[in-house]
Amino acid sequence: MDTLTGSLCELWICRNYRYMCVLFLSMQAVRGLDQVTLLNSPEEPLSEHHLKILYSCDEPSTVQLDCVIYFDTGIISTLQLKQWSCAPGDPKIRTVELKLPDWLVYQSDGILPDSQWVLSCMLLVSVRHRGFDDSQRSVAAQDVATLQLKPFFSRPVKQHQLCIAWCWRMLQLTPRFAKKQCPFEQETVHFLDSIFASSGKSYGITKSLDPYGSEALEFARTKTISFAWCMFSIWIFVSRSCQKKLCGVFHHINSKNNFVTPSVFLRNSGELHIQVELNSKESSAFISSFKVPLKEWCQISLMLEGPTVTVSLVCFHKDLRTVHTVDHQLERNAELDDTEGTFVIGGRNYIQSVEGYFGPMVYYRNRIPHYSTSEVVLPDLLSTVNLTGWLQACRALRLEMTVKISGYILKAKEGTELGTCFDAFHEWIGEERQPSQNQCLLWEATVPKRRQAAKLAKVLAFKHGERGVSLLAVGRALYSLSLHKLDRARNTGTVSRILPLLLQAGCLADNRALHMSSVLYSTGLGIKKRPEKVWLLALLAAQKDDRLALLHLGHLHHQGLLGLPAEPDLSYAYYANIAEQTVEDRQNPTSEQTFVEAVYLNHDRELSLQTNKDHHIFEWLKLQARRGAAEAEQTVARMLFWGQQGVTPNIQEAVKHYERGAVQWEDPTSMFDYGIVLLQGLGVKKDVPKAISFLKKAMDKGFVPAMNALGWYFEHFERDYRRAVQLWEQADLLKSPDAALNLGVIHSQGLYPGKPADQFMAYQYYLKSAERGHIRGAVLLANVWNTGIPGRVKRRPSEAVLRAKQAAEQNGYLGTILRKALNSYLKNDMLNSLLYYMMAAESGYAAAQFNAAYLCENNAFGYLDPDFAASCMWRYYNLTIQSQNPNTYALVRMGDLLYQGQGHKKKDLFSAAEKYTQAALRNEPQGWYNLGLLAEEGFRLPLSVIVELGLSELYMSDNSSLRSALYRRCRDSEDSDSYLPCSLALVNVYLRSFTKDHSAVIKFSTAVAMVIAPTIFLIIFNAHRRPVPVLSFN
């Protein structure tokens, strides 16, 4: 009964609270107190509201109603809404029409501004006594009501009563208003959405996070920094045990380059090593009780709940599932600030990555979702690629070949006839020979599709014995056999027959075969396109550090091709690997490398400069070199050393030319080059004193690179950093890219005399070096942009990718593929030329993409199916124009394809005009000419195109004026070949314009001419019949 009575009392008080307040305030007002109360304030900003205010005062005062707005910039704005006088007496209630600013009430629509920077808003009513000068008023009483701002899309749209100006209506149609949406918050962060192939080096995927934009989310995040509450999930496939003490799986690095929460590593014994940072700023680590198996897809999940860390491992092998879980209790709470520092998947400068593959990785910020190991399934992405299926098939092939190799080696030792079962060697070289009648042993039997591999294993075993035969040797022989068959091919039908050989070679560890197979599946050259095979084979080759495969995957993820997501961070991980290898390859040149040259097949002059050791151009250069022409000596040596312009690399022969140029002709460039090869022992016995002698002579002759090389000598051999820095700073003033690089490295390592390590100073020198064209400078600059320097340099992933890509595309192995393609073209072997150019094109190299399109366009000898040729031309011209510096011919041809329409693609005149415009702005006369033809056909060029061309004043003029301007630009270009056709087109415009403007005069003149023409003819005829007068000498 007491409870029921108490509840009824509470209910009565709640319902009559407002009236009780009015009663008590009235009683206080009688006693002469200043009071003011908002009786019915709204909960949120409203467009119209009748606000009731109870007020009283004990002396003449003023009642003032304000709206106080707090912005997230720290600014406070006060808007005065109403003001009235108050006389002493009984309490009064005044009704005020509340009108708040529209931008607080409605959605922004182009007329009303957005209030997204407003944090809070409140109504403030006050009773103010008048001051002595009536300007200062003291607040005697006040009341406050907070208004809750609505989210953007929850606000009403204002129905404007006046006509909206045209400019505001146009503004409403812009993407800013048409596509406005709620701000995206990364509560569930997908660090990796695809597969990353890791070769076990110090490269990985770097990620960073920003604070939440939402106040509530950011408040919750900062509150849980000292009490980590989150979950990480990553898929991993370990192909080889860790070769170091620890290998990187996933780790968090703070701004001081320390490992913090969470950091997960794989030990060389197979267990996981987990390290976290406690809220006491101390580090804590533990080792899992289970091991990560090899060659199985496993999901590692890591849950952080304050002092508790839970690690789970779920692995899949065929139809079997293995589950392990371990809980670890920390001494204190784990601390995690995910906006500080960077997260890394795989390896980085400080630690090498796990060898294998990384699958999707998800980070649940400030929350732990429902998770059960029994509910974990293999992601569709991993099932589609089917890495385990490939490895199982390869395992069967490798086992079969191992048995056969052992048997053939035994037969070879016993001296058994080579022709047992079949004569592989003669069948390989194409000669006919009858097989012997000996019966095969059981282990010699093989399925038809593996017969070639078995034959090659037999040949190698009998020819080289135990030392010369292995699975890799058989794989290489299969790859060579495939190329041999391609050399004799005259159409694409051969490709489908050699593809099984390439796949078997890939299974037997020949990564070149894997890459070529990936390219064939990607292009559809002679076979059906298989995007999932493209990715699988590229991943397999890249995981083994194949340079072209790394370039291929970097390109795929940079452009977002084959349905893969465009991921700059993942693309950079591949490009950084190949870029660093490019630096190493250039320091250790081999015959397998060739200088990268961008030769375009439509440039006859570039093609005419291609030569070889027996070519007349090369022989002429050698003759000039023998006669003392220093430049010819330099050119011959450079062509031999780097394999330029079609000459086969021959470092030993190049050194002889360097020596002659340095000793006999005393050429500073040759002195420098000869000094470098002596210093490093390239093609000649290492001789440091002799090298320094030539470098000093070159420096005395003012050769700047020699100054830098001497600095390098003092650093590495003498350890005299002061002398080295002095030389480098002198060379840097003379714009030496190597000097800027070396100064950057010396600042980074803290070796600059008298100065501590300074990463920002190093960054500035890397930037200078890269801008001067140095490859390693570009690599180091890209690394800084990828990771950033806390407080000095922000992360710039997209720009880091471009710098790393530029360096990676100078790799000598890519140069070798380009040289094979060009040599095949010069020999009229168009099929092989196209194949090699496609291999480079699929790696993202623009010149190769252009040449592949050019070959498909011309389709000499009709070796390509017309539909394939058209598709190939469209694909590669389209890829070419997306490069940083697109080829103008490709822009024009892409415009032509858009104008004509290809296959199922419709004509697109607008896009065609855009491509012609891009070509015209690069001073390509064909672009101007084609724009004129479009205008001549009646197509009205878009305003955006005309403005971009700088002809905006002609937009409203007649068609002939626009065509005249376009053809005039075409005529006045620097290309002499375009002068005549552009001039004729311009004359044609003038004639048509004249005919149109003076057609009546021309018709009248024609009629008059027809009437008087006979009369004129008779007069002239009679004049010619008169006798010629004879001069008299008398």
Side-chain angles (χ1 to χ4, degrees):
M1 185 65 183
D2 292 338
T3 304
L4 179 60
T5 305
S7 300
L8 291 173
C9 290
E10 291 175 3
L11 181 61
W12 183 88
I13 291 173
C14 291
R15 289 181 176 178
N16 298 278
Y17 174 76
R18 180 68 68 179
Y19 302 104
M20 292 172 64
C21 289
V22 173
L23 175 62
F24 293 151
L25 286 171
S26 301
M27 294 171 61
Q28 291 175 353
V30 172
R31 298 190 186 103
L33 296 178
D34 297 302
Q35 292 291 341
V36 64
T37 303
L38 296 168
L39 297 178
N40 62 335
S41 62
E43 295 182 357
E44 60 190 32
L46 299 175
S47 58
E48 293 182 1
H49 180 73
H50 295 286
L51 179 63
K52 293 182 179 181
I53 302 173
L54 173 69
Y55 64 96
S56 65
C57 52
D58 60 358
E59 63 179 73
S61 306
T62 299
V63 181
Q64 182 171 314
L65 177 64
D66 297 317
C67 179
V68 183
I69 302 170
Y70 294 83
F71 295 88
D72 66 353
T73 57
I75 298 174
I76 302 175
S77 177
T78 302
L79 305 177
Q80 183 176 315
L81 303 179
K82 282 289 183 179
Q83 189 182 68
W84 65 91
S85 299
C86 173
D90 296 334
K92 302 179 182 63
I93 295 179
R94 184 183 181 104
T95 301
V96 177
E97 187 177 356
L98 180 64
K99 288 190 175 182
L100 296 173
D102 286 343
W103 50 270
L104 280 175
V105 179
Y106 299 105
Q107 295 184 24
S108 61
D109 57 5
I111 299 175
L112 300 178
D114 196 350
S115 62
Q116 59 180 339
W117 306 115
V118 176
L119 288 180
S120 61
C121 171
M122 63 177 62
L123 294 177
L124 172 64
V125 62
S126 59
V127 175
R128 299 169 181 260
H129 292 168
R130 295 189 178 95
F132 294 106
D133 56 359
D134 202 43
S135 60
Q136 297 180 351
R137 302 173 184 269
S138 60
V139 178
Q142 67 179 16
D143 192 17
V144 176
T146 301
L147 305 182
Q148 298 295 328
L149 293 175
K150 281 188 173 183
F152 176 81
F153 285 107
S154 298
R155 300 181 189 178
V157 177
K158 183 171 183 178
Q159 302 299 321
H160 297 280
Q161 300 302 315
L162 300 177
C163 294
I164 299 177
W166 179 82
C167 59
W168 289 113
R169 179 64 68 185
M170 292 298 101
L171 189 61
Q172 286 180 321
L173 299 178
T174 61
R176 174 186 171 188
F177 296 99
K179 297 182 180 179
K180 189 161 186 177
Q181 58 184 6
C182 296
F184 175 75
E185 297 287 3
Q186 284 190 305
E187 294 181 81
T188 300
V189 184
H190 294 266
F191 280 140
L192 182 60
D193 282 325
S194 54
I195 302 175
F196 169 50
S198 171
S199 59
K201 293 186 176 180
S202 300
Y203 304 103
I205 304 169
T206 303
K207 294 286 185 179
S208 58
L209 297 177
D210 296 321
Y212 285 117
S214 165
E215 280 186 87
L217 290 175
E218 182 60 15
F219 178 80
R221 188 191 71 81
T222 55
K223 284 296 183 182
T224 57
I225 287 178
S226 59
F227 189 92
W229 185 274
C230 58
M231 175 176 170
F232 295 85
S233 168
I234 184 170
W235 286 87
I236 188 171
F237 184 99
V238 182
S239 58
R240 185 185 180 197
S241 299
C242 177
Q243 301 301 299
K244 301 288 184 179
K245 185 177 180 181
L246 293 176
C247 292
V249 176
F250 172 75
H251 50 278
H252 183 194
I253 301 175
N254 65 10
S255 57
K256 297 179 181 179
N257 288 329
N258 294 325
F259 293 117
V260 291
T261 309
S263 294
V264 182
F265 307 98
L266 182 68
R267 293 166 57 88
N268 52 14
S269 53
E271 299 91 353
L272 291 175
H273 175 103
I274 295 94
Q275 181 172 324
V276 298
E277 183 182 33
L278 306 179
N279 56 12
S280 60
K281 303 303 179 183
E282 298 175 343
S283 294
S284 178
F286 65 95
I287 299 172
S288 67
S289 57
F290 51 81
K291 295 183 178 181
V292 178
L294 296 179
K295 298 182 180 180
E296 294 181 17
W297 276 114
C298 299
Q299 185 203 51
I300 301 172
S301 64
L302 177 69
M303 285 185 281
L304 298 170
E305 302 173 88
T308 305
V309 181
T310 303
V311 182
S312 299
L313 180 74
V314 181
C315 297
F316 294 85
H317 178 64
K318 296 182 179 179
D319 296 330
L320 301 177
R321 172 200 296 263
T322 307
V323 179
H324 299 279
T325 302
V326 60
D327 290 323
H328 182 79
Q329 199 71 20
L330 304 171
E331 295 180 359
R332 302 176 67 93
N333 294 330
E335 180 171 295
L336 170 59
D337 184 355
D338 58 13
T339 63
E340 208 266 347
T342 55
F343 295 92
V344 180
I345 302 172
R348 196 162 158 177
N349 300 342
Y350 321 102
I351 193 164
Q352 291 187 354
S353 173
V354 168
E355 289 188 51
Y357 306 87
F358 293 90
M361 178 175 181
V362 182
Y363 166 38
Y364 302 92
R365 298 177 80 178
N366 302 101
R367 67 189 187 93
I368 299 178
H370 168 72
Y371 177 79
S372 173
T373 55
S374 61
E375 298 176 2
V376 176
V377 295
L378 196 68
D380 293 339
L381 175 72
L382 306 183
S383 300
T384 302
V385 173
N386 196 17
L387 176 63
T388 53
W390 165 271
L391 294 177
Q392 289 170 10
C394 285
R395 192 176 297 117
L397 174 63
R398 294 172 69 87
L399 179 61
E400 180 181 344
M401 288 299 107
T402 300
V403 172
K404 292 186 183 303
I405 289 172
S406 300
Y408 290 136
I409 290 174
L410 183 61
K411 276 196 170 187
K413 289 180 178 179
E414 295 173 351
T416 307
E417 183 185 357
L418 177 64
T420 302
C421 293
F422 40 68
D423 192 329
F425 177 75
H426 288 90
E427 182 168 334
W428 182 14
I429 64 174
E431 296 183 10
E432 295 183 0
R433 178 173 172 176
Q434 295 297 325
S436 63
Q437 300 302 316
N438 296 341
Q439 297 298 315
C440 297
L441 298 177
L442 181 61
W443 59 265
E444 293 182 273
T446 186
V447 295
K449 62 181 180 180
R450 297 178 182 174
R451 187 169 297 163
Q452 290 286 6
K455 289 180 180 180
L456 292 175
K458 185 174 185 178
V459 170
L460 292 172
F462 276 86
K463 186 175 181 180
H464 301 289
E466 187 174 358
R467 293 183 179 181
V469 61
S470 64
L471 293 177
L472 178 58
V474 176
R476 290 174 176 173
L478 279 170
Y479 181 70
S480 299
L481 175 60
S482 303
L483 297 185
H484 177 69
K485 290 179 177 290
L486 275 174
D487 285 339
R488 297 184 297 176
R490 292 295 176 264
N491 55 61
T492 58
T494 307
V495 175
S496 60
R497 294 192 292 273
I498 68 162
L499 182 60
L501 303 182
L502 290 173
L503 294 175
Q504 291 171 27
C507 268
L508 299 177
D510 192 298
N511 300 321
R512 299 168 300 172
L514 289 172
H515 176 64
M516 181 177 283
S517 303
S518 175
V519 169
L520 292 175
Y521 277 123
S522 178
T523 59
L525 181 65
I527 61 173
K528 184 180 178 181
K529 289 185 177 182
R530 297 279 299 276
E532 72 282 358
K533 291 287 188 182
V534 176
W535 197 16
L536 168 64
L537 297 169
L539 287 169
L540 290 164
Q543 199 277 322
K544 297 300 182 182
D545 233 14
D546 182 79
R547 291 161 176 79
L548 293 179
L550 291 168
L551 275 173
H552 188 189
L553 287 173
H555 175 60
L556 290 179
H557 289 289
H558 182 216
Q559 298 291 339
L561 304 176
L562 294 179
L564 300 178
E567 295 188 49
D569 294 316
L570 176 53
S571 177
Y572 175 80
Y574 289 122
Y575 278 134
N577 188 347
I578 182 65
E580 191 63 44
Q581 290 190 69
T582 299
V583 174
E584 296 173 2
D585 291 341
R586 290 172 72 89
Q587 293 174 349
N588 302 283
T590 65
S591 58
E592 297 178 355
Q593 302 178 52
T594 306
F595 188 81
V596 176
E597 296 175 282
V599 179
Y600 288 83
L601 297 183
N602 66 326
H603 290 177
D604 294 335
R605 185 176 179 279
E606 290 183 359
L607 294 176
S608 66
L609 294 176
Q610 303 307 308
T611 180
N612 54 58
K613 285 188 64 176
D614 301 322
H615 197 274
H616 66 275
I617 294 179
F618 188 69
E619 291 295 335
W620 181 83
L621 286 171
K622 289 170 65 177
L623 176 62
Q624 295 302 309
R626 287 194 297 269
R627 292 177 176 177
E631 291 186 3
E633 195 79 82
Q634 297 169 18
T635 303
V636 171
R638 185 177 63 250
M639 292 168 70
L640 287 167
F641 191 89
W642 295 107
Q644 293 181 348
Q645 294 179 230
V647 176
T648 303
N650 189 332
I651 296 177
Q652 289 76 16
E653 190 70 22
V655 170
K656 294 178 182 179
H657 288 276
Y658 286 143
E659 182 180 13
R660 184 167 64 184
V663 176
Q664 293 187 26
W665 318 133
E666 296 185 350
D667 172 49
T669 302
S670 296
M671 287 178 176
F672 167 76
D673 290 329
Y674 188 49
I676 292 298
V677 296
L678 285 170
L679 194 63
Q680 297 183 349
L682 297 174
V684 67
K685 186 178 180 181
K686 190 173 183 179
D687 191 336
V688 176
K690 189 176 181 180
I692 299 306
S693 173
F694 279 105
L695 290 174
K696 287 181 177 179
K697 290 179 181 179
M699 185 179 71
D700 292 340
K701 287 178 175 288
F703 196 67
V704 177
M707 188 182 301
N708 176 79
L710 284 171
W712 184 86
Y713 163 77
F714 282 114
E715 179 203 7
H716 286 81
F717 289 86
E718 302 291 340
R719 300 298 177 185
D720 188 345
Y721 298 109
R722 190 173 301 278
R723 185 73 182 278
V725 166
Q726 182 182 4
L727 288 169
W728 286 335
E729 288 182 338
Q730 292 177 21
D732 179 52
L733 293 175
L734 298 172
K735 309 298 183 183
S736 168
D738 292 281
L741 170 70
N742 290 330
L743 287 170
V745 173
I746 213 83
H747 277 289
S748 174
Q749 296 176 351
L751 298 176
Y752 193 101
K755 294 183 179 181
D758 189 336
Q759 301 304 323
F760 182 70
M761 182 65 74
Y763 159 72
Q764 291 179 307
Y765 279 112
Y766 295 155
L767 182 60
K768 284 202 292 186
S769 177
E771 289 176 342
R772 294 172 186 172
H774 200 287
I775 292 179
R776 186 156 183 252
V779 173
L780 294 175
L781 174 66
N783 183 54
V784 174
W785 280 347
N786 179 56
T787 59
I789 300 177
R792 305 301 296 272
V793 180
K794 291 184 177 180
R795 290 194 68 226
R796 298 158 70 175
S798 298
E799 295 178 53
V801 169
L802 294 178
R803 284 290 184 181
K805 181 177 185 290
Q806 291 171 356
E809 288 181 345
Q810 300 303 312
N811 190 271
Y813 290 88
L814 173 63
T816 299
I817 294 295
L818 293 171
R819 175 50 53 185
K820 288 182 178 180
L822 184 56
N823 288 343
S824 297
Y825 177 80
L826 296 174
K827 295 175 183 177
N828 288 324
D829 185 359
M830 299 305 172
L831 178 59
N832 276 283
S833 179
L834 177 61
L835 175 59
Y836 285 121
Y837 273 129
M838 282 180 166
M839 290 177 68
E842 292 299 306
S843 299
Y845 192 65
Q849 291 170 343
F850 174 88
N851 290 340
Y854 186 81
L855 288 171
C856 291
E857 177 184 2
N858 290 279
N859 195 15
F861 313 118
Y863 65 99
L864 296 176
D865 177 76
D867 291 336
F868 176 85
S871 174
C872 163
M873 181 171 52
W874 183 289
R875 168 185 169 84
Y876 286 115
Y877 275 140
N878 191 31
L879 287 173
T880 303
I881 64 175
Q882 295 176 36
S883 62
Q884 287 182 279
N885 187 26
N887 183 278
T888 54
Y889 181 90
L891 286 168
V892 172
R893 290 300 294 123
M894 198 64 212
D896 294 343
L897 293 174
L898 290 165
Y899 170 80
Q900 298 164 1
Q902 291 288 325
H904 63 280
K905 299 180 178 67
K906 296 182 180 179
K907 294 178 65 172
D908 188 347
L909 298 185
F910 178 80
S911 297
E914 286 186 326
K915 298 300 177 287
Y916 294 146
T917 300
Q918 293 177 37
L921 293 175
R922 286 170 172 80
N923 206 28
E924 171 59 52
Q926 189 69 52
W928 294 107
Y929 189 85
N930 288 5
L931 286 170
L933 291 179
L934 281 177
E936 196 168 326
E937 292 179 3
F939 176 71
R940 187 175 181 84
L941 296 181
L943 176 60
S944 59
V945 167
I946 293 179
V947 170
E948 196 172 359
L949 293 171
L951 301 173
S952 54
E953 70 278 2
L954 298 177
Y955 182 64
M956 301 304 294
S957 62
D958 62 350
N959 187 274
S960 60
S961 299
L962 178 59
R963 284 186 287 136
S964 298
L966 294 170
Y967 289 136
R968 196 179 300 113
R969 296 277 185 94
C970 174
R971 180 199 63 188
D972 297 340
S973 65
E974 298 177 359
D975 189 353
S976 58
D977 294 338
S978 65
Y979 183 84
L980 181 58
C982 295
S983 298
L984 292 175
L986 185 60
V987 169
N988 182 47
V989 173
Y990 289 152
L991 288 176
R992 290 189 178 186
S993 179
F994 181 80
T995 302
K996 179 180 179 182
D997 295 341
H998 304 282
S999 59
V1001 175
I1002 293 173
K1003 289 179 181 179
F1004 176 76
S1005 301
T1006 303
V1008 172
M1010 292 179 64
V1011 172
I1012 67 174
T1015 305
I1016 295 175
F1017 174 77
L1018 291 174
I1019 293 172
I1020 295 173
F1021 179 76
N1022 290 330
H1024 279 285
R1025 293 183 61 189
R1026 291 175 185 173
V1028 180
V1030 179
L1031 296 177
S1032 175
F1033 295 98
N1034 297 325

